[in-house]
Amino acid sequence: MGEKSAKRNLRVRRVYEAPEPSDGARVLVDRLWPRGLSKADARLTEWCKDVAPSSELRRWFHHEGPRFAEFAERYRAELAREAVRPALEGLRERAAQGPLTLLTATKDVSVSHVNVLIEVLREGS
């Protein structure tokens, strides 16, 4: 698949939502396991903790909307580290092969690290 297909194949959902056939590969991108969810119910293809924000950054942000711009900048810096590159490339490869759904337990996905992650994945495709 080409670059445009990989970009279209990316989507975000809450991990608590029931899996759908259109999800394709289901990858949890949170550092912590979602509360109250069994591994069987999550039906994950992979748990990719390496692309999640650091614990320090996550605690600082605390999903406070006014901090999102600075959070996004700091998170992008974390994603630019050499140690994260293999995990990002793995996600890009999955998206190139078919639908890829990035999953998070975040209540408000609109101010979530997953949006920044999607942008970074699309920029590198």
Side-chain angles (χ1 to χ4, degrees):
M1 268 188 201
E3 175 182 324
K4 288 185 180 180
S5 295
K7 288 180 181 182
R8 281 194 309 263
N9 283 337
L10 291 166
R11 66 187 262 194
V12 176
R13 296 187 67 213
R14 290 195 70 229
V15 70
Y16 298 107
E17 296 175 41
E20 295 179 355
S22 61
D23 285 348
R26 292 172 48 85
V27 178
L28 179 64
V29 292
D30 289 349
R31 189 163 302 277
L32 303 174
W33 185 260
R35 288 184 181 176
L37 184 69
S38 73
K39 291 188 180 186
D41 288 343
R43 291 199 227 150
L44 299 181
T45 305
E46 178 183 357
W47 182 10
C48 190
K49 297 180 208 175
D50 294 340
V51 297
S54 66
S55 296
E56 296 80 17
L57 181 57
R58 181 179 46 79
R59 282 191 292 267
W60 172 83
F61 176 46
H62 198 63
H63 296 285
E64 293 181 21
R67 290 184 174 184
F68 187 72
E70 185 175 348
F71 165 80
E73 187 177 315
R74 291 181 184 190
Y75 180 43
R76 280 178 170 276
E78 289 185 355
L79 291 172
R81 294 186 327 227
E82 186 66 32
V84 180
R85 185 172 292 162
L88 288 173
E89 288 307 313
L91 291 174
R92 286 185 184 111
E93 288 172 17
R94 281 193 187 278
Q97 294 169 2
L100 171 61
T101 300
L102 301 181
L103 301 167
T104 182
T106 305
K107 288 180 183 174
D108 186 354
V109 176
S110 67
V111 288
S112 165
H113 71 286
V114 183
N115 293 315
V116 178
L117 177 58
I118 289 265
E119 289 174 6
V120 169
L121 289 171
R122 286 181 173 150
E123 291 164 2
S125 295

